[in-house]
Amino acid sequence: MLSFNIHKKVLLSLLLTGGVFSSCKKLVEIGPPTTQVGLDQAFASEATATSAVVGIYNTSAIREWMFPMSELPGLSANELQNNVSSPAYDEFKTNSITVTNTLVPNLWYGAYGTISQANAMMDGLNRSTALSPAVKNQLLGETKVWRAFIYGYLVSMFNDVPLPLKDDPLGNATLARTPASQVWTQLITDLNEAQGLLTDAYPATQRTRINRQAANALLARAYLYQRDWAKAEAAASAVINSGIYSLNKDLNTTFSNSSNEVIWQLATLTGLSIYMTNRDAQGGSYAAAAGTVPAVTLTDTLYNSMEAGDKRKTAWVAATDIGGQNYKVITKYKLRVLATGSTMGNEYSVILRLAEQYLIRAEARAQLGNIPGAIADVNAIRDKAGLPALDNSISQANLLLAIEKERKAELFGEWGHRWFDLKRTPAVSGGGKTRADEVIGGMRPATWTSTDVLYPIPDAQRVSNPALTQNPGYNN
């Protein structure tokens, strides 16, 4: 099925919880609950409507999706390495993914499960007459951002994808793929509408729910990916100039849940990020017990590409000898376990942060020919990393390469940024190629083809929905 079988009724327990929902089941596996309320009843009061929408943040579907969304594209980009070999992981590492790869569905199911839930919430909110305009706008804005956020990843991984916009499980299950250009148009529309519905105020503590600047931050990214430089610059500037956020020069606390660099983060039950522990999600981990090799570490290639004196190289990476072999352990998040006597850590899972916005604006400005403005934005990131400023005489071409390198050093291990940067950027040599062709193709000539910039549509999806076509380069 394309979308999860979200029932027209909603779990009462989900509606009434404002905390974190944790389960090993995907939403598709949830059977009819013993205690249900009709979906319309869920939006008959502001309390239950808010709880229903907060449920999007709390499902296991999104939590089990988050780590693979950093891990698997990171393998594709030669940014991360898996330290437990398996055929499925090795296919990502060598850019030789097959249509039956057992990990690709992890990138699909959780995404569409969250979209299905957002659509159901949106429909319920639009039908409700019981909510004040302020509450209705906030909740609608949040659902629109969630939907756009997920579609941004789906279209970046698979290109054309089904585009369900209504709570219609049966109809959605037979949708064909929508052209990527239309998906981008829809998600940008969602974000623009959300920007008008939301305010700068956060509806929850520690920025664990969406506000207007989260919508602007995602708009900046979407415009960047679509090469709409002027709008990317404007959206990123809205975030930077909002006065809400600041770059965190203490790199050891950048990912704490009180960091002023955080724009949006996902709370966890323990205060331990899902990148560091399996207690809130299934999947791999950046951390392991002392003397044990983490499931995923940084590649030597990326580590060695970081400049001498870069504080991120020591604050965010620990070169560690284990069993006679050196591993580059990712230490952006500091907590693997709770301190003795503690019941809660101080790290959640960061989704958006300010540093990305400076780098988005830098790239947009460089493309627009505003070289001094672009240099100033890159230097803001380099300054907190303890690196010298860029030469003011740098050429536009070299500045763009410097921005790419800065994104690689700043955003490694986060949300697959490196992979999406390589596949969205034209090759320096031109010829219709991408930077992925130059960089990854140069590293892995035996297994790389240009069609590897897209992942295959999961084979099981095409079996259950014959309307789905396959991406070029894969068996049809």
Side-chain angles (χ1 to χ4, degrees):
M1 299 288 283
L2 164 66
S3 58
F4 289 107
N5 183 19
I6 293 187
H7 300 281
K8 288 291 184 179
K9 295 184 177 181
V10 181
L11 278 168
L12 181 62
S13 60
L14 177 61
L15 294 176
L16 297 182
T17 179
V20 174
F21 176 94
S22 180
S23 169
C24 292
K25 285 191 173 185
K26 293 183 176 66
L27 208 56
V28 70
E29 298 169 341
I30 296 177
T34 56
T35 305
Q36 294 180 326
V37 293
L39 187 59
D40 288 340
Q41 288 176 273
F43 296 94
S45 77
E46 293 183 353
T48 55
T50 299
S51 291
V53 171
V54 169
I56 301 175
Y57 298 79
N58 296 337
T59 59
S60 59
I62 191 63
R63 292 168 186 279
E64 292 175 14
W65 180 76
M66 284 182 67
F67 191 88
M69 267 312 314
S70 290
E71 176 187 33
L72 299 177
L75 294 174
S76 296
N78 195 45
E79 169 188 73
L80 304 179
Q81 66 183 34
N82 58 303
N83 297 313
V84 178
S85 180
S86 76
Y89 280 101
D90 291 344
E91 287 180 8
F92 278 87
K93 182 172 65 177
T94 59
N95 303 102
S96 55
I97 303 170
T98 61
V99 296
T100 55
N101 183 286
T102 56
L103 296 173
V104 173
N106 293 345
L107 303 173
W108 183 278
Y109 290 124
Y112 275 110
T114 303
I115 288 169
S116 291
Q117 193 172 1
N119 285 341
M121 298 300 102
M122 213 174 296
D123 285 358
L125 288 165
N126 283 326
R127 287 194 302 268
S128 177
T129 60
L131 308 179
S132 69
V135 170
K136 190 169 188 176
N137 287 348
Q138 172 66 39
L139 298 179
L140 273 174
E142 289 180 78
T143 58
K144 287 178 181 289
V145 171
W146 265 114
R147 187 167 72 179
F149 172 62
I150 301 296
Y151 273 130
Y153 280 98
L154 284 169
V155 72
S156 294
M157 290 184 289
F158 300 104
N159 203 39
D160 302 346
V161 290
L163 186 66
L165 300 174
K166 295 291 183 181
D167 179 29
D168 179 16
L170 292 179
N172 292 344
T174 58
L175 288 176
R177 298 168 72 186
T178 297
S181 60
Q182 294 180 35
V183 179
W184 281 110
T185 296
Q186 179 60 53
L187 74 88
I188 287 171
T189 296
D190 276 348
L191 291 170
N192 274 309
E193 290 177 354
Q195 196 271 349
L197 292 166
L198 297 165
T199 69
D200 284 351
Y202 281 94
T205 60
Q206 295 179 303
R207 303 173 183 177
T208 55
R209 283 173 60 192
I210 292 163
N211 74 339
R212 175 164 50 201
Q213 296 308 329
N216 278 331
L218 288 173
L219 264 176
R221 184 191 295 175
Y223 286 134
L224 184 82
Y225 281 29
Q226 290 296 285
R227 305 178 70 78
D228 192 334
W229 310 122
K231 289 182 179 178
E233 180 188 18
S237 291
V239 180
I240 294 167
N241 297 335
S242 68
I244 302 171
Y245 315 101
S246 58
L247 292 174
N248 194 336
K249 291 191 176 183
D250 180 359
L251 300 184
N252 289 312
T253 61
T254 297
F255 294 86
S256 72
N257 58 19
S258 60
S259 169
N260 205 45
E261 189 169 317
V262 170
I263 298 170
W264 176 25
Q265 60 190 341
L266 195 69
T268 62
L269 283 168
T270 57
L272 301 176
S273 168
I274 65 171
Y275 292 92
M276 300 297 279
T277 174
N278 290 337
R279 296 175 69 174
D280 287 303
Q282 300 296 312
S285 178
Y286 289 161
T292 303
V293 179
V296 178
T297 52
L298 202 65
T299 60
D300 286 344
T301 300
L302 193 140
Y303 179 80
N304 292 334
S305 74
M306 299 174 74
E307 296 177 40
D310 191 333
K311 293 179 180 178
R312 294 169 296 198
K313 203 169 183 177
T314 52
W316 291 352
V317 188
T320 307
D321 286 313
I322 303 173
Q325 185 171 344
N326 189 267
Y327 294 91
K328 308 306 186 294
V329 179
I330 298 171
T331 59
K332 284 184 166 181
Y333 294 97
K334 305 302 179 184
L335 301 181
R336 181 181 62 82
V337 295
L338 296 177
T340 302
S342 175
T343 58
M344 190 72 176
N346 68 341
E347 294 178 341
Y348 291 151
S349 299
V350 176
I351 298 175
L352 296 170
R353 60 188 180 92
L354 186 63
E356 182 195 358
Q357 298 303 303
Y358 274 94
L359 293 168
I360 287 173
R361 192 169 72 174
E363 185 174 343
R365 284 176 166 178
Q367 292 284 2
L368 291 167
N370 180 2
I371 304 304
I375 290 173
D377 284 339
V378 177
N379 285 343
I381 303 301
R382 291 178 63 82
D383 178 65
K384 77 184 184 72
L387 294 174
L390 294 178
D391 188 332
N392 287 330
S393 65
I394 191 171
S395 68
Q396 182 188 47
N398 285 335
L399 176 57
L400 287 168
L401 288 174
I403 293 167
E404 178 189 306
K405 183 177 180 181
E406 208 61 48
R407 287 180 64 89
K408 178 170 62 169
E410 179 69 26
L411 301 173
F412 68 81
E414 298 179 53
W415 290 100
H417 283 289
R418 176 63 175 161
W419 176 240
F420 300 127
D421 288 346
L422 289 172
K423 66 193 295 296
R424 70 177 172 83
T425 308
V428 174
S429 58
K433 299 290 187 178
T434 66
R435 285 289 287 152
D437 289 309
E438 288 182 322
V439 175
I440 307 302
M443 292 178 183
R444 303 168 180 171
T447 56
W448 177 262
T449 62
S450 291
T451 55
D452 290 334
V453 295
L454 297 178
Y455 292 156
I457 303 300
D459 195 48
Q461 289 298 296
R462 298 193 63 223
V463 171
S464 63
N465 180 9
L468 292 177
T469 57
Q470 186 54 273
N471 276 325
Y474 298 97
N475 295 327
N476 288 304

